[in-house]
Amino acid sequence: MISDESDWKKRALFLCKRGHLETELLLQHYVSELPLHLETKEKQQLFELLDQNDQTLFEWLLPTEQPLPSVCSHLHPLIKAIRGKYLMNHE
């Protein structure tokens, strides 16, 4: 039997599958390296982010000169962490 601790991660990795390859790769890379034991708040924010449509995620995750929208201000640290993970590994 699979524990609940790994179920959330499998579900998150499944939700990373996107129509935009770039977005999918950013999300999969980030989620695959997360520890199995995350705080409930962190999991909720991750699933809220993964619930966004492809175009929104693409715009939020790729670094631009545009500031992130204030609507998702509680997700800014997560978005910046995903961006940082990608940029750190591809410089």
Side-chain angles (χ1 to χ4, degrees):
M1 180 174 205
I2 299 172
S3 71
D4 289 340
E5 288 299 324
S6 63
D7 286 347
W8 76 264
K9 193 165 185 176
K10 288 180 182 184
R11 183 171 160 245
L13 284 168
F14 177 78
L15 293 173
C16 289
K17 299 200 182 302
R18 299 286 164 166
H20 287 135
L21 180 60
E22 296 88 350
T23 305
E24 183 175 329
L25 292 174
L26 281 169
L27 292 170
Q28 283 180 338
H29 180 73
Y30 181 78
V31 171
S32 68
E33 292 189 358
L34 287 173
L36 284 179
H37 305 287
L38 282 184
E39 296 294 325
T40 301
K41 181 180 176 181
E42 292 174 297
K43 290 178 194 175
Q44 289 171 338
Q45 288 177 340
L46 177 63
F47 284 110
E48 183 178 346
L49 183 73
L50 293 173
D51 196 37
Q52 302 302 312
N53 68 54
D54 287 357
Q55 187 60 39
T56 299
L57 278 173
F58 183 76
E59 291 170 5
W60 288 358
L61 294 176
L62 294 180
T64 65
E65 298 297 318
Q66 302 279 339
L68 289 168
S70 61
V71 172
C72 67
S73 62
H74 64 290
L75 297 176
H76 287 187
L78 176 59
I79 293 166
K80 289 176 182 177
I82 294 169
R83 286 178 174 178
K85 177 71 75 176
Y86 174 78
L87 293 174
M88 182 176 64
N89 290 324
H90 292 90
E91 287 185 336

